[in-house]
């Protein structure tokens, strides 16, 4: 540090900035998708660490070389085998992670999980419906299907939470001239505006979303991998008709575990499994409410098999409901499945 003060000062400043950066980028991580997102923030620190590692190895090699060359007679035997071992370790060390990463990443060359996920979403959306994507994974899959593959041109596709921005309303209005936009006021909370937007358009078309939008008054009814909005409870179809429709849709869906996710859970891609699990869990709860525990058990087992995150608390009310209904065998099967999956956290 005495000879290269500028370089030393740079790394000291960088170290302190890195500590601040890690706190800034260290948002809470609750699932694999958030962990995969967080991982990208560390690409630049990894590059700097690689430089420092290289400098450290070069200094170590120089120190050993100077030590042994200065004492050839005393250390000639040790030097003759220590240097080749050092270089051998240095060359072989990256092979293990490279082989592991290549094996898992090469699976993605022909993987079609996202395309199949988009197809299942589009299959769930009624003809001519308005569809809003709230989650990033859904938006990525549907964007590619609609704008690259040109599928389902009948769908009105938008992001509900961008409707507060004038440029976005203009874009949607030019693309879908039949859509009604309520008058927007800057002091209007976004949830109120979205509710008003949905209510005005629901009169003329079906309004759907990939999630039950938080803070929006009304009712969200499952339809495959999406939810259909109803402003009043009286407008909701018969529960059995809804369940039958969902059952037919699920029979047409692809299995996300049939691709690369069946062999390795990539952090970002495995978020697809979470969506299938979430929607299957909703259908399982709906079947249990009509005392159809056979179908309910089928969907709950599907949901548990596709879960990628530890969510014991989410399944506990379902197990309690089975116990209260004196469905001891389904409750036992559900408990066994939860325990086998999350035994350490159960």
């Amino acid at each position: 540090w005495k000879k290269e003060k500028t370089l030393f000062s740079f790394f000291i400043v960088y170290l302190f900035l890195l500590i601040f950066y890690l706190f800034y980028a260290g948002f809470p991580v609750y699932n694999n998708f958030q962990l995969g997102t967080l991982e990208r923030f560390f690409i630049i620190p990894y590059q700097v660490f690689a430089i420092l590692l290289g400098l450290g190895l070069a200094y170590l090699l120089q120190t050993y070389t100077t030590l042994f060359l200065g004492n050839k007679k005393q250390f000639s035997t040790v030097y003759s085998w220590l240097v080749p071992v050092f270089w051998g370790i240095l060359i072989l060390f990256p092979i293990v992670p490279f082989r592991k990463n290549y094996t898992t990443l090469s699976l993605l060359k022909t993987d079609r999980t996202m395309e199949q996920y988009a197809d299942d979403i589009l299959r769930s959306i009624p003809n001519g419906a308005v569809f809003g994507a709230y989650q990033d994974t859904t938006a990525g899959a549907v964007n590619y299907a609609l704008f690259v593959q040109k599928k389902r041109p009948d769908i009105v596709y938008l992001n509900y939470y961008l409707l507060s921005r004038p440029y976005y309303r203009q874009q949607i209005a030019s693309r879908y001239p039949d859509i009604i936009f309520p008058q927007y006021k800057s002091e209007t909370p976004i949830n109120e505006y979205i509710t008003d937007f949905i209510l005005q358009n629901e009169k003329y078309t079906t309004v759907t979303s990939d999630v039950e939008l938080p803070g929006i008054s009304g009712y969200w009814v499952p339809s495959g991998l999406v939810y259909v909005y109803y402003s009043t409870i009286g407008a909701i179809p018969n529960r059995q008709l809804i369940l039958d429709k969902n059952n037919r849709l699920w029979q047409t869906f692809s299995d996300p575990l049939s691709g690369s996710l069946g062999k390795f859970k990539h952090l970002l891609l495995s978020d697809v499994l979470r969506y299938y699990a979430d929607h299957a869990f909703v259908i399982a709860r709906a079947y249990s409410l009509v005392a159809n525990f056979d179908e309910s058990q089928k969907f709950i087992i599907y949901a548990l098999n596709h879960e990628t995150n530890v969510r014991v608390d989410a399944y506990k009310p379902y197990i309690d409901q089975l116990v209260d209904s004196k469905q001891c065998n389904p409750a036992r099967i559900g408990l066994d499945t939860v325990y086998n999956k999350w035994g350490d956290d159960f």
Side-chain angles (χ1 to χ4, degrees), residues 124 212 219-228 230 242-243 245-246 249-250 279 282-283 286:
S124 305
E212 299 178 76
Y219 304 89
W220 295 96
V221 176
S223 175
L225 294 181
V226 304
Y227 292 91
V228 177
Y230 294 94
I242 295 173
L243 290 173
K245 177 184 177 181
N246 276 277
L249 282 172
W250 277 90
H279 287 277
V282 170
I283 301 302

mmCIF file with all atom_site columns, all heavy atoms in Angstrom, residues 124 212 219-228 230 242-243 245-246 249-250 279 282-283 286:
data_model
loop_
_atom_site.group_PDB
_atom_site.id
_atom_site.type_symbol
_atom_site.label_atom_id
_atom_site.label_alt_id
_atom_site.label_comp_id
_atom_site.label_asym_id
_atom_site.label_entity_id
_atom_site.label_seq_id
_atom_site.pdbx_PDB_ins_code
_atom_site.Cartn_x
_atom_site.Cartn_y
_atom_site.Cartn_z
_atom_site.occupancy
_atom_site.B_iso_or_equiv
_atom_site.pdbx_formal_charge
_atom_site.auth_seq_id
_atom_site.auth_comp_id
_atom_site.auth_asym_id
_atom_site.auth_atom_id
_atom_site.pdbx_PDB_model_num
ATOM 1   N N   . SER A 1 124 ? -56.423 -20.156 -19.839 1.00 0.00 ? 124 SER A N   1
ATOM 2   C CA  . SER A 1 124 ? -57.307 -19.866 -18.705 1.00 0.00 ? 124 SER A CA  1
ATOM 3   C C   . SER A 1 124 ? -58.121 -18.597 -18.896 1.00 0.00 ? 124 SER A C   1
ATOM 4   O O   . SER A 1 124 ? -59.104 -18.381 -18.180 1.00 0.00 ? 124 SER A O   1
ATOM 5   C CB  . SER A 1 124 ? -56.475 -19.734 -17.417 1.00 0.00 ? 124 SER A CB  1
ATOM 6   O OG  . SER A 1 124 ? -55.677 -20.874 -17.187 1.00 0.00 ? 124 SER A OG  1
ATOM 7   N N   . GLU A 1 212 ? -55.192 -12.197 -7.086  1.00 0.00 ? 212 GLU A N   1
ATOM 8   C CA  . GLU A 1 212 ? -56.287 -11.425 -6.505  1.00 0.00 ? 212 GLU A CA  1
ATOM 9   C C   . GLU A 1 212 ? -55.717 -10.064 -6.114  1.00 0.00 ? 212 GLU A C   1
ATOM 10  O O   . GLU A 1 212 ? -55.000 -9.954  -5.118  1.00 0.00 ? 212 GLU A O   1
ATOM 11  C CB  . GLU A 1 212 ? -56.854 -12.153 -5.280  1.00 0.00 ? 212 GLU A CB  1
ATOM 12  C CG  . GLU A 1 212 ? -57.410 -13.521 -5.589  1.00 0.00 ? 212 GLU A CG  1
ATOM 13  C CD  . GLU A 1 212 ? -57.918 -14.218 -4.345  1.00 0.00 ? 212 GLU A CD  1
ATOM 14  O OE1 . GLU A 1 212 ? -59.014 -13.863 -3.858  1.00 0.00 ? 212 GLU A OE1 1
ATOM 15  O OE2 . GLU A 1 212 ? -57.209 -15.110 -3.857  1.00 0.00 ? 212 GLU A OE2 1
ATOM 16  N N   . TYR A 1 219 ? -64.939 -9.410  -6.020  1.00 0.00 ? 219 TYR A N   1
ATOM 17  C CA  . TYR A 1 219 ? -64.663 -10.822 -5.793  1.00 0.00 ? 219 TYR A CA  1
ATOM 18  C C   . TYR A 1 219 ? -63.823 -11.375 -6.946  1.00 0.00 ? 219 TYR A C   1
ATOM 19  O O   . TYR A 1 219 ? -64.114 -11.128 -8.123  1.00 0.00 ? 219 TYR A O   1
ATOM 20  C CB  . TYR A 1 219 ? -65.971 -11.615 -5.675  1.00 0.00 ? 219 TYR A CB  1
ATOM 21  C CG  . TYR A 1 219 ? -66.888 -11.090 -4.601  1.00 0.00 ? 219 TYR A CG  1
ATOM 22  C CD1 . TYR A 1 219 ? -67.831 -10.092 -4.892  1.00 0.00 ? 219 TYR A CD1 1
ATOM 23  C CD2 . TYR A 1 219 ? -66.805 -11.551 -3.290  1.00 0.00 ? 219 TYR A CD2 1
ATOM 24  C CE1 . TYR A 1 219 ? -68.676 -9.594  -3.902  1.00 0.00 ? 219 TYR A CE1 1
ATOM 25  C CE2 . TYR A 1 219 ? -67.646 -11.051 -2.291  1.00 0.00 ? 219 TYR A CE2 1
ATOM 26  C CZ  . TYR A 1 219 ? -68.569 -10.074 -2.603  1.00 0.00 ? 219 TYR A CZ  1
ATOM 27  O OH  . TYR A 1 219 ? -69.393 -9.581  -1.625  1.00 0.00 ? 219 TYR A OH  1
ATOM 28  N N   . TRP A 1 220 ? -62.803 -12.128 -6.590  1.00 0.00 ? 220 TRP A N   1
ATOM 29  C CA  . TRP A 1 220 ? -61.923 -12.756 -7.575  1.00 0.00 ? 220 TRP A CA  1
ATOM 30  C C   . TRP A 1 220 ? -62.135 -14.269 -7.521  1.00 0.00 ? 220 TRP A C   1
ATOM 31  O O   . TRP A 1 220 ? -61.903 -14.898 -6.489  1.00 0.00 ? 220 TRP A O   1
ATOM 32  C CB  . TRP A 1 220 ? -60.467 -12.410 -7.304  1.00 0.00 ? 220 TRP A CB  1
ATOM 33  C CG  . TRP A 1 220 ? -60.152 -10.957 -7.473  1.00 0.00 ? 220 TRP A CG  1
ATOM 34  C CD1 . TRP A 1 220 ? -60.106 -10.010 -6.503  1.00 0.00 ? 220 TRP A CD1 1
ATOM 35  C CD2 . TRP A 1 220 ? -59.867 -10.282 -8.697  1.00 0.00 ? 220 TRP A CD2 1
ATOM 36  N NE1 . TRP A 1 220 ? -59.801 -8.776  -7.032  1.00 0.00 ? 220 TRP A NE1 1
ATOM 37  C CE2 . TRP A 1 220 ? -59.645 -8.918  -8.385  1.00 0.00 ? 220 TRP A CE2 1
ATOM 38  C CE3 . TRP A 1 220 ? -59.763 -10.686 -10.034 1.00 0.00 ? 220 TRP A CE3 1
ATOM 39  C CZ2 . TRP A 1 220 ? -59.329 -7.966  -9.344  1.00 0.00 ? 220 TRP A CZ2 1
ATOM 40  C CZ3 . TRP A 1 220 ? -59.451 -9.745  -10.997 1.00 0.00 ? 220 TRP A CZ3 1
ATOM 41  C CH2 . TRP A 1 220 ? -59.242 -8.402  -10.666 1.00 0.00 ? 220 TRP A CH2 1
ATOM 42  N N   . VAL A 1 221 ? -62.553 -14.825 -8.639  1.00 0.00 ? 221 VAL A N   1
ATOM 43  C CA  . VAL A 1 221 ? -62.899 -16.246 -8.714  1.00 0.00 ? 221 VAL A CA  1
ATOM 44  C C   . VAL A 1 221 ? -61.861 -16.960 -9.564  1.00 0.00 ? 221 VAL A C   1
ATOM 45  O O   . VAL A 1 221 ? -61.530 -16.499 -10.662 1.00 0.00 ? 221 VAL A O   1
ATOM 46  C CB  . VAL A 1 221 ? -64.311 -16.434 -9.316  1.00 0.00 ? 221 VAL A CB  1
ATOM 47  C CG1 . VAL A 1 221 ? -64.631 -17.919 -9.493  1.00 0.00 ? 221 VAL A CG1 1
ATOM 48  C CG2 . VAL A 1 221 ? -65.342 -15.763 -8.418  1.00 0.00 ? 221 VAL A CG2 1
ATOM 49  N N   . PRO A 1 222 ? -61.317 -18.094 -9.106  1.00 0.00 ? 222 PRO A N   1
ATOM 50  C CA  . PRO A 1 222 ? -60.272 -18.791 -9.871  1.00 0.00 ? 222 PRO A CA  1
ATOM 51  C C   . PRO A 1 222 ? -60.788 -19.352 -11.188 1.00 0.00 ? 222 PRO A C   1
ATOM 52  O O   . PRO A 1 222 ? -61.903 -19.858 -11.274 1.00 0.00 ? 222 PRO A O   1
ATOM 53  C CB  . PRO A 1 222 ? -59.833 -19.915 -8.923  1.00 0.00 ? 222 PRO A CB  1
ATOM 54  C CG  . PRO A 1 222 ? -60.996 -20.128 -8.010  1.00 0.00 ? 222 PRO A CG  1
ATOM 55  C CD  . PRO A 1 222 ? -61.620 -18.781 -7.835  1.00 0.00 ? 222 PRO A CD  1
ATOM 56  N N   . SER A 1 223 ? -59.943 -19.224 -12.199 1.00 0.00 ? 223 SER A N   1
ATOM 57  C CA  . SER A 1 223 ? -60.217 -19.805 -13.519 1.00 0.00 ? 223 SER A CA  1
ATOM 58  C C   . SER A 1 223 ? -58.889 -20.310 -14.065 1.00 0.00 ? 223 SER A C   1
ATOM 59  O O   . SER A 1 223 ? -58.172 -19.592 -14.762 1.00 0.00 ? 223 SER A O   1
ATOM 60  C CB  . SER A 1 223 ? -60.825 -18.757 -14.462 1.00 0.00 ? 223 SER A CB  1
ATOM 61  O OG  . SER A 1 223 ? -60.986 -19.290 -15.772 1.00 0.00 ? 223 SER A OG  1
ATOM 62  N N   . GLY A 1 224 ? -58.539 -21.540 -13.717 1.00 0.00 ? 224 GLY A N   1
ATOM 63  C CA  . GLY A 1 224 ? -57.240 -22.069 -14.129 1.00 0.00 ? 224 GLY A CA  1
ATOM 64  C C   . GLY A 1 224 ? -56.112 -21.353 -13.418 1.00 0.00 ? 224 GLY A C   1
ATOM 65  O O   . GLY A 1 224 ? -56.012 -21.382 -12.194 1.00 0.00 ? 224 GLY A O   1
ATOM 66  N N   . LEU A 1 225 ? -55.273 -20.658 -14.190 1.00 0.00 ? 225 LEU A N   1
ATOM 67  C CA  . LEU A 1 225 ? -54.135 -19.933 -13.624 1.00 0.00 ? 225 LEU A CA  1
ATOM 68  C C   . LEU A 1 225 ? -54.390 -18.439 -13.526 1.00 0.00 ? 225 LEU A C   1
ATOM 69  O O   . LEU A 1 225 ? -53.452 -17.663 -13.320 1.00 0.00 ? 225 LEU A O   1
ATOM 70  C CB  . LEU A 1 225 ? -52.881 -20.191 -14.463 1.00 0.00 ? 225 LEU A CB  1
ATOM 71  C CG  . LEU A 1 225 ? -52.363 -21.630 -14.461 1.00 0.00 ? 225 LEU A CG  1
ATOM 72  C CD1 . LEU A 1 225 ? -51.110 -21.742 -15.317 1.00 0.00 ? 225 LEU A CD1 1
ATOM 73  C CD2 . LEU A 1 225 ? -52.088 -22.125 -13.051 1.00 0.00 ? 225 LEU A CD2 1
ATOM 74  N N   . VAL A 1 226 ? -55.644 -18.005 -13.671 1.00 0.00 ? 226 VAL A N   1
ATOM 75  C CA  . VAL A 1 226 ? -55.989 -16.592 -13.521 1.00 0.00 ? 226 VAL A CA  1
ATOM 76  C C   . VAL A 1 226 ? -57.197 -16.474 -12.607 1.00 0.00 ? 226 VAL A C   1
ATOM 77  O O   . VAL A 1 226 ? -57.796 -17.475 -12.195 1.00 0.00 ? 226 VAL A O   1
ATOM 78  C CB  . VAL A 1 226 ? -56.284 -15.912 -14.888 1.00 0.00 ? 226 VAL A CB  1
ATOM 79  C CG1 . VAL A 1 226 ? -55.107 -16.078 -15.827 1.00 0.00 ? 226 VAL A CG1 1
ATOM 80  C CG2 . VAL A 1 226 ? -57.556 -16.472 -15.507 1.00 0.00 ? 226 VAL A CG2 1
ATOM 81  N N   . TYR A 1 227 ? -57.550 -15.225 -12.302 1.00 0.00 ? 227 TYR A N   1
ATOM 82  C CA  . TYR A 1 227 ? -58.744 -14.946 -11.517 1.00 0.00 ? 227 TYR A CA  1
ATOM 83  C C   . TYR A 1 227 ? -59.674 -14.046 -12.324 1.00 0.00 ? 227 TYR A C   1
ATOM 84  O O   . TYR A 1 227 ? -59.221 -13.091 -12.963 1.00 0.00 ? 227 TYR A O   1
ATOM 85  C CB  . TYR A 1 227 ? -58.380 -14.252 -10.198 1.00 0.00 ? 227 TYR A CB  1
ATOM 86  C CG  . TYR A 1 227 ? -57.623 -15.128 -9.231  1.00 0.00 ? 227 TYR A CG  1
ATOM 87  C CD1 . TYR A 1 227 ? -56.230 -15.154 -9.245  1.00 0.00 ? 227 TYR A CD1 1
ATOM 88  C CD2 . TYR A 1 227 ? -58.300 -15.930 -8.315  1.00 0.00 ? 227 TYR A CD2 1
ATOM 89  C CE1 . TYR A 1 227 ? -55.526 -15.960 -8.359  1.00 0.00 ? 227 TYR A CE1 1
ATOM 90  C CE2 . TYR A 1 227 ? -57.601 -16.741 -7.426  1.00 0.00 ? 227 TYR A CE2 1
ATOM 91  C CZ  . TYR A 1 227 ? -56.224 -16.753 -7.460  1.00 0.00 ? 227 TYR A CZ  1
ATOM 92  O OH  . TYR A 1 227 ? -55.530 -17.557 -6.593  1.00 0.00 ? 227 TYR A OH  1
ATOM 93  N N   . VAL A 1 228 ? -60.972 -14.357 -12.269 1.00 0.00 ? 228 VAL A N   1
ATOM 94  C CA  . VAL A 1 228 ? -61.991 -13.562 -12.953 1.00 0.00 ? 228 VAL A CA  1
ATOM 95  C C   . VAL A 1 228 ? -62.672 -12.675 -11.920 1.00 0.00 ? 228 VAL A C   1
ATOM 96  O O   . VAL A 1 228 ? -63.022 -13.132 -10.820 1.00 0.00 ? 228 VAL A O   1
ATOM 97  C CB  . VAL A 1 228 ? -63.022 -14.465 -13.655 1.00 0.00 ? 228 VAL A CB  1
ATOM 98  C CG1 . VAL A 1 228 ? -64.119 -13.612 -14.303 1.00 0.00 ? 228 VAL A CG1 1
ATOM 99  C CG2 . VAL A 1 228 ? -62.337 -15.336 -14.705 1.00 0.00 ? 228 VAL A CG2 1
ATOM 100 N N   . TYR A 1 230 ? -65.624 -10.317 -10.320 1.00 0.00 ? 230 TYR A N   1
ATOM 101 C CA  . TYR A 1 230 ? -67.069 -10.089 -10.253 1.00 0.00 ? 230 TYR A CA  1
ATOM 102 C C   . TYR A 1 230 ? -67.320 -8.993  -9.229  1.00 0.00 ? 230 TYR A C   1
ATOM 103 O O   . TYR A 1 230 ? -66.803 -9.035  -8.103  1.00 0.00 ? 230 TYR A O   1
ATOM 104 C CB  . TYR A 1 230 ? -67.813 -11.368 -9.843  1.00 0.00 ? 230 TYR A CB  1
ATOM 105 C CG  . TYR A 1 230 ? -67.716 -12.473 -10.868 1.00 0.00 ? 230 TYR A CG  1
ATOM 106 C CD1 . TYR A 1 230 ? -66.720 -13.447 -10.764 1.00 0.00 ? 230 TYR A CD1 1
ATOM 107 C CD2 . TYR A 1 230 ? -68.607 -12.542 -11.942 1.00 0.00 ? 230 TYR A CD2 1
ATOM 108 C CE1 . TYR A 1 230 ? -66.613 -14.461 -11.705 1.00 0.00 ? 230 TYR A CE1 1
ATOM 109 C CE2 . TYR A 1 230 ? -68.506 -13.552 -12.888 1.00 0.00 ? 230 TYR A CE2 1
ATOM 110 C CZ  . TYR A 1 230 ? -67.505 -14.501 -12.762 1.00 0.00 ? 230 TYR A CZ  1
ATOM 111 O OH  . TYR A 1 230 ? -67.403 -15.501 -13.701 1.00 0.00 ? 230 TYR A OH  1
ATOM 112 N N   . ILE A 1 242 ? -68.053 -23.599 -11.532 1.00 0.00 ? 242 ILE A N   1
ATOM 113 C CA  . ILE A 1 242 ? -66.695 -23.042 -11.476 1.00 0.00 ? 242 ILE A CA  1
ATOM 114 C C   . ILE A 1 242 ? -65.678 -24.162 -11.268 1.00 0.00 ? 242 ILE A C   1
ATOM 115 O O   . ILE A 1 242 ? -64.631 -24.207 -11.928 1.00 0.00 ? 242 ILE A O   1
ATOM 116 C CB  . ILE A 1 242 ? -66.595 -22.009 -10.340 1.00 0.00 ? 242 ILE A CB  1
ATOM 117 C CG1 . ILE A 1 242 ? -67.495 -20.803 -10.645 1.00 0.00 ? 242 ILE A CG1 1
ATOM 118 C CG2 . ILE A 1 242 ? -65.152 -21.556 -10.144 1.00 0.00 ? 242 ILE A CG2 1
ATOM 119 C CD1 . ILE A 1 242 ? -67.583 -19.804 -9.505  1.00 0.00 ? 242 ILE A CD1 1
ATOM 120 N N   . LEU A 1 243 ? -65.980 -25.080 -10.354 1.00 0.00 ? 243 LEU A N   1
ATOM 121 C CA  . LEU A 1 243 ? -65.052 -26.174 -10.078 1.00 0.00 ? 243 LEU A CA  1
ATOM 122 C C   . LEU A 1 243 ? -64.907 -27.103 -11.282 1.00 0.00 ? 243 LEU A C   1
ATOM 123 O O   . LEU A 1 243 ? -63.800 -27.557 -11.592 1.00 0.00 ? 243 LEU A O   1
ATOM 124 C CB  . LEU A 1 243 ? -65.530 -26.956 -8.853  1.00 0.00 ? 243 LEU A CB  1
ATOM 125 C CG  . LEU A 1 243 ? -65.424 -26.219 -7.514  1.00 0.00 ? 243 LEU A CG  1
ATOM 126 C CD1 . LEU A 1 243 ? -66.079 -27.023 -6.399  1.00 0.00 ? 243 LEU A CD1 1
ATOM 127 C CD2 . LEU A 1 243 ? -63.966 -25.935 -7.177  1.00 0.00 ? 243 LEU A CD2 1
ATOM 128 N N   . LYS A 1 245 ? -65.273 -26.293 -14.430 1.00 0.00 ? 245 LYS A N   1
ATOM 129 C CA  . LYS A 1 245 ? -64.480 -25.593 -15.431 1.00 0.00 ? 245 LYS A CA  1
ATOM 130 C C   . LYS A 1 245 ? -62.996 -25.637 -15.073 1.00 0.00 ? 245 LYS A C   1
ATOM 131 O O   . LYS A 1 245 ? -62.141 -25.884 -15.934 1.00 0.00 ? 245 LYS A O   1
ATOM 132 C CB  . LYS A 1 245 ? -64.942 -24.133 -15.538 1.00 0.00 ? 245 LYS A CB  1
ATOM 133 C CG  . LYS A 1 245 ? -64.115 -23.306 -16.507 1.00 0.00 ? 245 LYS A CG  1
ATOM 134 C CD  . LYS A 1 245 ? -64.540 -21.846 -16.498 1.00 0.00 ? 245 LYS A CD  1
ATOM 135 C CE  . LYS A 1 245 ? -63.648 -21.022 -17.428 1.00 0.00 ? 245 LYS A CE  1
ATOM 136 N NZ  . LYS A 1 245 ? -64.023 -19.588 -17.414 1.00 0.00 ? 245 LYS A NZ  1
ATOM 137 N N   . ASN A 1 246 ? -62.688 -25.408 -13.809 1.00 0.00 ? 246 ASN A N   1
ATOM 138 C CA  . ASN A 1 246 ? -61.294 -25.450 -13.382 1.00 0.00 ? 246 ASN A CA  1
ATOM 139 C C   . ASN A 1 246 ? -60.701 -26.840 -13.536 1.00 0.00 ? 246 ASN A C   1
ATOM 140 O O   . ASN A 1 246 ? -59.545 -26.990 -13.940 1.00 0.00 ? 246 ASN A O   1
ATOM 141 C CB  . ASN A 1 246 ? -61.177 -24.981 -11.932 1.00 0.00 ? 246 ASN A CB  1
ATOM 142 C CG  . ASN A 1 246 ? -61.096 -23.478 -11.791 1.00 0.00 ? 246 ASN A CG  1
ATOM 143 O OD1 . ASN A 1 246 ? -60.028 -22.886 -11.928 1.00 0.00 ? 246 ASN A OD1 1
ATOM 144 N ND2 . ASN A 1 246 ? -62.234 -22.847 -11.541 1.00 0.00 ? 246 ASN A ND2 1
ATOM 145 N N   . LEU A 1 249 ? -59.824 -27.328 -17.129 1.00 0.00 ? 249 LEU A N   1
ATOM 146 C CA  . LEU A 1 249 ? -58.634 -26.560 -17.492 1.00 0.00 ? 249 LEU A CA  1
ATOM 147 C C   . LEU A 1 249 ? -57.368 -27.232 -16.987 1.00 0.00 ? 249 LEU A C   1
ATOM 148 O O   . LEU A 1 249 ? -56.378 -27.346 -17.723 1.00 0.00 ? 249 LEU A O   1
ATOM 149 C CB  . LEU A 1 249 ? -58.739 -25.141 -16.917 1.00 0.00 ? 249 LEU A CB  1
ATOM 150 C CG  . LEU A 1 249 ? -59.631 -24.156 -17.660 1.00 0.00 ? 249 LEU A CG  1
ATOM 151 C CD1 . LEU A 1 249 ? -59.792 -22.869 -16.861 1.00 0.00 ? 249 LEU A CD1 1
ATOM 152 C CD2 . LEU A 1 249 ? -59.051 -23.836 -19.030 1.00 0.00 ? 249 LEU A CD2 1
ATOM 153 N N   . TRP A 1 250 ? -57.389 -27.684 -15.747 1.00 0.00 ? 250 TRP A N   1
ATOM 154 C CA  . TRP A 1 250 ? -56.186 -28.296 -15.183 1.00 0.00 ? 250 TRP A CA  1
ATOM 155 C C   . TRP A 1 250 ? -55.807 -29.581 -15.903 1.00 0.00 ? 250 TRP A C   1
ATOM 156 O O   . TRP A 1 250 ? -54.625 -29.944 -15.956 1.00 0.00 ? 250 TRP A O   1
ATOM 157 C CB  . TRP A 1 250 ? -56.391 -28.554 -13.686 1.00 0.00 ? 250 TRP A CB  1
ATOM 158 C CG  . TRP A 1 250 ? -56.109 -27.336 -12.867 1.00 0.00 ? 250 TRP A CG  1
ATOM 159 C CD1 . TRP A 1 250 ? -56.981 -26.360 -12.499 1.00 0.00 ? 250 TRP A CD1 1
ATOM 160 C CD2 . TRP A 1 250 ? -54.838 -26.943 -12.331 1.00 0.00 ? 250 TRP A CD2 1
ATOM 161 N NE1 . TRP A 1 250 ? -56.353 -25.382 -11.766 1.00 0.00 ? 250 TRP A NE1 1
ATOM 162 C CE2 . TRP A 1 250 ? -55.031 -25.721 -11.637 1.00 0.00 ? 250 TRP A CE2 1
ATOM 163 C CE3 . TRP A 1 250 ? -53.567 -27.495 -12.344 1.00 0.00 ? 250 TRP A CE3 1
ATOM 164 C CZ2 . TRP A 1 250 ? -54.004 -25.044 -10.995 1.00 0.00 ? 250 TRP A CZ2 1
ATOM 165 C CZ3 . TRP A 1 250 ? -52.534 -26.831 -11.692 1.00 0.00 ? 250 TRP A CZ3 1
ATOM 166 C CH2 . TRP A 1 250 ? -52.752 -25.631 -11.031 1.00 0.00 ? 250 TRP A CH2 1
ATOM 167 N N   . HIS A 1 279 ? -52.191 -21.722 -7.313  1.00 0.00 ? 279 HIS A N   1
ATOM 168 C CA  . HIS A 1 279 ? -53.518 -21.882 -7.916  1.00 0.00 ? 279 HIS A CA  1
ATOM 169 C C   . HIS A 1 279 ? -54.108 -23.252 -7.619  1.00 0.00 ? 279 HIS A C   1
ATOM 170 O O   . HIS A 1 279 ? -55.334 -23.375 -7.426  1.00 0.00 ? 279 HIS A O   1
ATOM 171 C CB  . HIS A 1 279 ? -53.434 -21.642 -9.421  1.00 0.00 ? 279 HIS A CB  1
ATOM 172 C CG  . HIS A 1 279 ? -53.243 -20.201 -9.790  1.00 0.00 ? 279 HIS A CG  1
ATOM 173 N ND1 . HIS A 1 279 ? -54.294 -19.307 -9.883  1.00 0.00 ? 279 HIS A ND1 1
ATOM 174 C CD2 . HIS A 1 279 ? -52.131 -19.487 -10.066 1.00 0.00 ? 279 HIS A CD2 1
ATOM 175 C CE1 . HIS A 1 279 ? -53.838 -18.110 -10.205 1.00 0.00 ? 279 HIS A CE1 1
ATOM 176 N NE2 . HIS A 1 279 ? -52.524 -18.184 -10.327 1.00 0.00 ? 279 HIS A NE2 1
ATOM 177 N N   . VAL A 1 282 ? -55.590 -23.085 -4.157  1.00 0.00 ? 282 VAL A N   1
ATOM 178 C CA  . VAL A 1 282 ? -56.888 -22.392 -4.128  1.00 0.00 ? 282 VAL A CA  1
ATOM 179 C C   . VAL A 1 282 ? -58.003 -23.346 -4.537  1.00 0.00 ? 282 VAL A C   1
ATOM 180 O O   . VAL A 1 282 ? -59.079 -23.381 -3.908  1.00 0.00 ? 282 VAL A O   1
ATOM 181 C CB  . VAL A 1 282 ? -56.852 -21.163 -5.064  1.00 0.00 ? 282 VAL A CB  1
ATOM 182 C CG1 . VAL A 1 282 ? -58.257 -20.587 -5.242  1.00 0.00 ? 282 VAL A CG1 1
ATOM 183 C CG2 . VAL A 1 282 ? -55.925 -20.100 -4.498  1.00 0.00 ? 282 VAL A CG2 1
ATOM 184 N N   . ILE A 1 283 ? -57.784 -24.144 -5.570  1.00 0.00 ? 283 ILE A N   1
ATOM 185 C CA  . ILE A 1 283 ? -58.802 -25.098 -6.014  1.00 0.00 ? 283 ILE A CA  1
ATOM 186 C C   . ILE A 1 283 ? -59.022 -26.175 -4.958  1.00 0.00 ? 283 ILE A C   1
ATOM 187 O O   . ILE A 1 283 ? -60.154 -26.621 -4.730  1.00 0.00 ? 283 ILE A O   1
ATOM 188 C CB  . ILE A 1 283 ? -58.395 -25.736 -7.364  1.00 0.00 ? 283 ILE A CB  1
ATOM 189 C CG1 . ILE A 1 283 ? -58.218 -24.648 -8.425  1.00 0.00 ? 283 ILE A CG1 1
ATOM 190 C CG2 . ILE A 1 283 ? -59.454 -26.734 -7.819  1.00 0.00 ? 283 ILE A CG2 1
ATOM 191 C CD1 . ILE A 1 283 ? -59.453 -23.802 -8.664  1.00 0.00 ? 283 ILE A CD1 1
ATOM 192 N N   . ALA A 1 286 ? -61.251 -24.780 -2.400  1.00 0.00 ? 286 ALA A N   1
ATOM 193 C CA  . ALA A 1 286 ? -62.613 -24.646 -2.922  1.00 0.00 ? 286 ALA A CA  1
ATOM 194 C C   . ALA A 1 286 ? -63.339 -25.999 -2.915  1.00 0.00 ? 286 ALA A C   1
ATOM 195 O O   . ALA A 1 286 ? -64.519 -26.075 -2.556  1.00 0.00 ? 286 ALA A O   1
ATOM 196 C CB  . ALA A 1 286 ? -62.572 -24.085 -4.341  1.00 0.00 ? 286 ALA A CB  1
#
